[in-house]
Amino acid sequence: MGNSNSLLNELNVTKKQLETSRSQIIVLNQQLKSTSQLVNELLAQLNILNQSINRTNDSTLLNFNDLLDDLSNEAKHALGPHKLPLWYSPRSGTDEVYASVGGGCLSYKEDLAQYMTYRVGKECPVDDVFAQRLMLKGCEPLPRSRCHPKAPVGYVEPTPLPKSLWSTPPDTNCFDLQFREKQRWQFDNGGLDFGMGEVMATRRKGTIRIGLDIGGGTGTFAARMKERNVNIVTTSMNLDGPFNSFIASRGLISMHVGVSQRLPFFENTLDIGYRALYAYSE
């Protein structure tokens, strides 16, 4: 009799445990259903978000193409997408490339249309003043690419270095390298000019090798540095004179860019920079 009661108690305990387990299974099943519903809702929201992103991308491309619609064919060719010769590139993640051009170009479409009117493969129009005005409006770099500059009349071989640093070409009479220009950066005058010796002394000998002069005028700073075996790239605009051509005639490197243009130098690749009122070393 005692064994029967003990067995009955064990059966009752087991029954209660089974009922408890069953209740837990029911609860877990309900939780799984709720989780499944949440996952489905999240997937639906994600799908809506993806569709929205795709519509935004399509709209962006459409807007860009709309901006090109009323341009000349040559302007469209310069600004529009160009297919890569080997098609899709894993590095860039696309099979086409867009020209690097300032947003200002599309803000002055009439000027852009005038600038892009030329005969492909022939001489470019002589419109330096107009082109520079377009640059100052933010259309930089200029998109003209399928014509060549007019060949100089009566070309004369350049003066060899180092004499060219202080020589004025015979066809140029708007620059004078004597007097004040010849004395610049020879010594510290307590004003805007400073001596080359002081500049070179800021770094260990031989460690100033390459640099940049922003808005360098006629390139005299670069000429003085060239005398010390330092190569300086000079940026300049042709405001009231052919500054870039004159800098190049001195045997120096000139870049025709405005102050808003990003210069094509990687970070920390220059030893010295000079701009208007001050010099600094990187």
Side-chain angles (χ1 to χ4, degrees):
M1 186 69 179
N3 290 335
S4 298
N5 291 334
S6 176
L7 182 60
L8 183 61
N9 290 333
E10 290 179 1
L11 288 173
N12 289 333
V13 171
T14 302
K15 182 179 179 181
K16 289 181 179 180
Q17 290 176 343
L18 289 173
E19 290 176 351
T20 301
S21 298
R22 183 180 179 184
S23 299
Q24 291 175 344
I25 290 173
I26 293 173
V27 172
L28 288 173
N29 189 35
Q30 292 175 345
Q31 291 176 344
L32 285 173
K33 288 182 179 179
S34 298
T35 303
S36 179
Q37 291 176 352
L38 287 174
V39 170
N40 289 333
E41 291 178 3
L42 287 173
L43 289 175
Q45 292 294 329
L46 183 60
N47 186 45
I48 294 173
L49 180 60
N50 285 333
Q51 291 177 354
S52 176
I53 292 174
N54 290 334
R55 284 195 299 269
T56 301
N57 289 338
D58 292 341
S59 175
T60 301
L61 292 175
L62 180 61
N63 289 337
F64 182 79
N65 291 330
D66 286 345
L67 290 173
L68 303 182
D69 278 346
D70 53 351
L71 295 178
S72 66
N73 289 334
E74 187 61 21
K76 288 181 180 178
H77 180 274
L79 301 179
H82 298 269
K83 291 293 182 181
L84 296 175
L86 299 179
W87 302 103
Y88 181 82
S89 170
R91 289 188 175 182
S92 60
T94 181
D95 64 346
E96 60 187 13
V97 62
Y98 284 80
S100 175
V101 64
C105 290
L106 298 178
S107 298
Y108 300 93
K109 290 187 176 182
E110 292 184 3
D111 290 346
L112 180 61
Q114 178 181 338
Y115 178 75
M116 295 301 291
T117 301
Y118 57 87
R119 297 176 62 190
V120 176
K122 303 297 182 180
E123 287 186 352
C124 297
V126 181
D127 53 2
D128 294 347
V129 175
F130 175 75
Q132 189 161 259
R133 187 164 67 244
L134 197 56
M135 289 174 62
L136 293 174
K137 291 178 178 179
C139 186
E140 187 180 16
L142 293 169
R144 183 187 288 170
S145 61
R146 299 205 294 171
C147 60
H148 58 82
K150 184 178 181 180
V153 178
Y155 174 76
V156 179
E157 288 288 336
T159 304
L161 283 167
K163 186 178 179 181
S164 64
L165 293 177
W166 301 103
S167 299
T168 301
D171 60 346
T172 304
N173 57 10
C174 53
F175 298 108
D176 186 359
L177 293 179
Q178 305 304 315
F179 304 107
R180 178 180 180 275
E181 200 70 17
K182 196 69 175 286
Q183 301 300 319
R184 296 185 72 185
W185 296 295
Q186 290 289 74
F187 54 87
D188 187 349
N189 65 358
L192 300 181
D193 289 351
F194 44 83
M196 285 288 106
E198 296 178 356
V199 175
M200 302 300 289
T202 61
R203 301 286 292 274
R204 185 165 55 87
K205 184 177 180 180
T207 58
I208 297 181
R209 305 153 301 165
I210 53 177
L212 172 68
D213 183 4
I214 302 175
T218 59
T220 295
F221 178 80
R224 287 299 183 197
M225 296 298 276
K226 182 73 173 179
E227 293 173 337
R228 292 160 175 80
N229 295 320
V230 179
N231 294 314
I232 298 292
V233 176
T234 303
T235 73
S236 183
M237 296 288 284
N238 291 332
L239 299 174
D240 302 322
F243 285 90
N244 279 271
S245 298
F246 185 70
I247 293 170
S249 74
R250 301 178 73 177
L252 304 169
I253 303 172
S254 68
M255 292 182 63
H256 185 213
V257 296
V259 294
S260 62
Q261 174 70 4
R262 185 187 187 281
L263 298 173
F265 302 113
F266 192 66
E267 297 175 356
N268 300 319
T269 57
L270 301 175
D271 299 321
I272 189 172
Y274 174 73
R275 180 182 179 186
L277 302 181
Y278 62 89
Y280 62 91
S281 297
E282 291 190 348

